[in-house]
Amino acid sequence: MIVHPELRRAARHARRPLLTATLLQGAVTLTHLAQAVLLAVALAALARGETDRLPPLLGAVLGVVLARAVLASWQRRTATRAGARVRVRLRDELVAHLGRLGAAHLTTARAGAVRTTLVDGVEGVDAYVSRYLPQLIVTLAVPPLLLAGLAVVEPAALLGLVPALLLALAGPRAWDRLLAERGKEHWDTYEGLGADYLEALQGMPALRAAGAVGRTRQRLEERSAALHRATVAKLRVSLVDTGITDLAIQGGTAAAALLACWSAVTGSTTATGTYLVLLLSSECFRPVRDLSREWHAGYLGVSAADGLAALRTAEPAVPDTGTVRARWPQPPEVRFEDVEFTYGDGADAAPAVHGVTFTAEAGRTTALVGPSGAGKSTLLALLLRHRAPRHGRITVAGRDVADYTLDSLRRGIAVVSQETYLFHASISDNLRLARPDATDDELVRAARTAGIHDEIDALPDGYATVLGERGATLSGGQRQRLALARALLADAPVLVLDEATSAVDERREADIVRELLNAAGGRTVLVVAHRLAAVRHADRIVVLDGGRVDAVGTHDDLVRAGGVYTELVTAGRTHEGELAA
Ligand code: ADP
């Protein structure tokens, strides 16, 4: 019964509507009590043969029933509104926090598990906060009042009711710990299964190619069976819980009825008193029964509370402590100064990059090349502050990137990476993501530069074509060029192309890069590419090897100097030769 701090916190998002919903829930319960009292009086009148008193009493019962219908629907509406507010605020808060956590978080947390917490977990919290909590308060408040009332009419009735109520409320608490454990197991399995399904669906082409679909299906079946077992285990405990409550409710009601009969037989109370004891003692348990029902609705919220708290309080890899807004009227210079970074806690791991110093001149194109694992992506992650260097610093426009607010820094640097993300929306909506107010002409200009305009134009619906999930209607190359157009439209002073043209064929790649560099129109561009065709026209090429800068120069300088760059050129040719053969 102790409310999880995370759920209490969630409830604060809708304090007033929740208070109203609780008061209304109390009012609904009062109508049940009023009805019980009126019926007791009516039955007593009937027993005494005073039939003329019946019509007004039954009329009053009808009035109470109608009032309850109105109050109950008002209560539901208020509770639903409160729940919706909690849901929206909680999701907003979590999504904003995920944004602050940045890409680095999603490489360690599984996207599917985060999705489950964000969608199902928050739904569970809604049910808990908007349905269970108001009922909990009513259940704690009403039966004691009722008992006090009954004590006046027939004190002996309390002998059966008090122990039964205590058992109904406190008995299940003995199982709380076990229930919490089972709930956590269930939630973890549920989250894991969600993540597995998402990965299997997203990775279907890879699974097919590797002939692993059958094995994956088997693994998913095993996971589903595990979820089934976890559900049954949880249900078993939960049913014991419900069983105790039911036993107490029925035992208590039966005991009260026996006491009422006894008092009627011995004549220690009036007929009205007997009927009151009979009907009101049953009413004592109504809130407990209702609470038990709402518990099942809100149970998922309790299981998800830990996951929600973990997500909400996860620390970003890099804190957002900068205070300067990144606003660069001119394309800025980007400088890496003696930068060192190690993944993990770095105690025994080798640094991924160290002693890296180079300048990407303002308004020029600088290429980063090097064999796989050389540290190219790490440097980009450091520039965008998804990670912070352990030593040295990175400056943009002469200022340490740590001084800028994360949001403005990332807005100022448009990135096109190998993994393009397109949404299930129209092409123009996908393009306008970074600049909602862009005109149609601007869309076309960006698309032309990225070499995708003609293909969009050839589609039956042109720019209004709605893309499938993750842009499935387009080929890999088309998706990349669309992402490129989107980045150009973002109009950020710094443009980063991270293997951005890798899904495009080589001739086209050279054309696009040339076009792009023209269109970049004086932006500071950083190009990371494994194919040298994409970088040979760069103003400056930085060759990385094993986390260090091996050489810096133009294509011709580097070819002349030999070293890693020449090896890359030769390897590239051999590779092309293999492809051609
Ligand atoms: P590149 O982009 O040039 O292929 P990376 O920057 O991805 O190189 O990798 C540089 C080094 O850092 C490699 O040794 C790689 O194994 C390591 N590394 C990259 N990402 C991670 C990570 N998330 N956790 C641990 N090590 C990593």
Side-chain angles (χ1 to χ4, degrees):
M1 196 149 337
I2 298 160
V3 180
H4 193 293
E6 191 62 23
L7 298 171
R8 267 207 310 267
R9 199 184 158 280
R12 276 188 223 125
H13 288 305
R15 223 183 283 222
R16 280 178 72 117
L18 279 177
L19 185 66
T20 315
T22 309
L23 291 176
L24 285 170
Q25 185 65 42
V28 170
T29 310
L30 287 183
T31 63
H32 282 292
L33 300 187
Q35 182 180 330
V37 171
L38 286 169
L39 282 177
V41 175
L43 285 170
L46 191 66
R48 285 195 297 266
E50 299 166 358
T51 43
D52 54 329
R53 288 187 61 200
L54 285 181
L57 282 170
L58 293 180
V61 170
L62 190 67
V64 168
V65 170
L66 288 176
R68 183 166 57 238
V70 174
L71 284 171
S73 110
W74 186 6
Q75 198 279 340
R76 249 308 156 244
R77 278 204 312 272
T78 315
T80 309
R81 214 173 41 241
R85 189 186 294 185
V86 168
R87 232 179 326 149
V88 170
R89 297 247 169 114
L90 209 54
R91 287 213 179 103
D92 274 357
E93 189 182 25
L94 290 173
V95 169
H97 189 60
L98 271 173
R100 280 192 295 277
L101 288 176
H105 179 76
L106 283 175
T107 54
T108 45
R110 299 178 72 194
V114 172
R115 188 218 74 94
T116 308
T117 305
L118 211 55
V119 178
D120 303 342
V122 172
E123 290 296 317
V125 172
D126 166 3
Y128 183 92
V129 167
S130 68
R131 296 176 57 179
Y132 179 75
L133 272 191
Q135 187 60 50
L136 177 66
I137 293 168
V138 169
T139 306
L140 292 179
V142 171
L145 289 178
L146 207 50
L147 288 179
L150 274 170
V152 177
V153 183
E154 177 56 77
L158 300 196
L159 286 177
L161 289 177
V162 173
L165 264 176
L166 286 179
L167 181 66
L169 286 173
R173 303 294 74 79
W175 300 86
D176 271 359
R177 258 191 60 190
L178 191 59
L179 194 61
E181 261 170 43
R182 293 275 191 277
K184 174 114 186 56
E185 272 166 33
H186 175 255
W187 180 258
D188 290 346
T189 321
Y190 183 60
E191 232 181 30
L193 185 70
D196 277 350
Y197 265 106
L198 187 72
E199 277 168 15
L201 285 175
Q202 287 181 343
M204 195 51 82
L207 292 175
R208 278 231 174 85
V213 174
R215 263 174 286 145
T216 307
R217 190 167 52 219
Q218 199 178 346
R219 214 188 59 227
L220 285 175
E221 272 170 18
E222 283 161 14
R223 294 286 228 142
S224 293
L227 178 63
H228 174 71
R229 282 194 298 278
T231 311
V232 171
K234 187 190 86 174
L235 212 60
R236 227 177 263 141
V237 184
S238 189
L239 283 177
V240 172
D241 207 292
T242 316
I244 296 176
T245 312
D246 284 350
L247 189 72
I249 292 174
Q250 274 152 26
T253 317
L258 284 176
L259 276 167
C261 294
W262 178 69
S263 61
V265 172
T266 56
S268 68
T269 181
T270 58
T272 315
T274 306
Y275 286 120
L276 270 179
V277 171
L278 259 179
L279 291 172
L280 286 184
S281 50
S282 154
E283 286 305 322
C284 264
F285 295 105
R286 184 190 295 278
V288 183
R289 265 199 309 267
D290 289 348
L291 186 67
S292 177
R293 195 185 58 226
E294 303 298 10
W295 169 244
H296 290 283
Y299 182 74
L300 204 60
V302 180
S303 311
D306 283 337
L308 281 167
L311 185 58
R312 193 177 54 77
T313 55
E315 286 288 332
V318 173
D320 188 9
T321 46
T323 49
V324 182
R325 279 191 60 79
R327 214 181 279 135
W328 307 305
Q330 300 295 323
E333 177 191 85
V334 176
R335 245 186 93 67
F336 285 74
E337 294 174 8
D338 199 17
V339 171
E340 179 181 323
F341 179 79
T342 310
Y343 285 98
D345 56 15
D348 43 6
V353 291
H354 47 139
V356 171
T357 301
F358 71 89
T359 305
E361 283 175 34
R364 296 298 181 89
T365 302
T366 304
L368 288 179
V369 295
S372 175
K376 305 181 291 289
S377 313
T378 305
L379 289 180
L380 293 186
L382 290 169
L383 169 64
L384 290 159
R385 264 176 75 71
H386 292 308
R387 313 266 185 190
R390 209 165 57 161
H391 184 77
R393 63 176 203 154
I394 299 158
T395 63
V396 180
R399 221 180 235 286
D400 195 325
V401 282
D403 294 343
Y404 295 116
T405 60
L406 277 185
D407 192 42
S408 69
L409 175 75
R410 290 174 190 166
R411 251 169 218 255
I413 306 176
V415 183
V416 187
S417 71
Q418 209 166 359
E419 284 177 41
T420 55
Y421 207 102
L422 298 171
F423 291 88
H424 178 60
S426 69
I427 291 181
S428 48
D429 284 348
N430 267 291
L431 284 173
R432 283 202 175 94
L433 211 60
R435 234 179 85 202
D437 56 350
T439 62
D440 288 349
D441 281 348
E442 285 167 327
L443 291 195
V444 171
R445 209 172 319 137
R448 257 191 225 288
T449 311
I452 181 84
H453 169 73
D454 293 341
E455 280 149 280
I456 298 177
D457 222 21
L459 291 169
D461 292 331
Y463 282 80
T465 306
V466 174
L467 301 178
E469 295 282 326
R470 307 185 88 196
T473 359
L474 302 178
S475 75
Q478 287 173 327
R479 280 208 295 274
Q480 274 196 335
R481 278 177 284 136
L482 201 58
L484 218 52
R486 184 162 68 185
L488 285 177
L489 205 61
D491 213 14
V494 182
L495 182 63
V496 171
L497 306 177
D498 180 9
E499 304 275 12
T501 41
S502 59
V504 177
D505 62 76
E506 190 138 350
R507 258 196 41 208
R508 181 150 225 172
E509 179 173 42
D511 290 347
I512 291 179
V513 172
R514 198 169 340 102
E515 273 279 309
L516 202 76
L517 297 183
N518 285 337
R523 279 173 230 200
T524 307
V525 185
L526 271 170
V527 188
V528 171
H530 68 293
R531 285 200 301 224
L532 297 176
V535 302
R536 64 189 305 157
H537 299 297
D539 297 308
R540 169 182 280 189
I541 300 172
V542 178
V543 186
L544 288 169
D545 190 28
R548 285 182 176 281
V549 176
D550 178 75
V552 179
T554 61
H555 175 74
D556 294 336
D557 295 342
L558 292 169
V559 169
R560 231 172 296 133
V564 177
Y565 190 77
T566 333
E567 281 167 33
L568 286 170
V569 174
T570 323
R573 283 213 193 98
T574 321
H575 185 57
E576 279 155 35
E578 276 165 14
L579 284 181

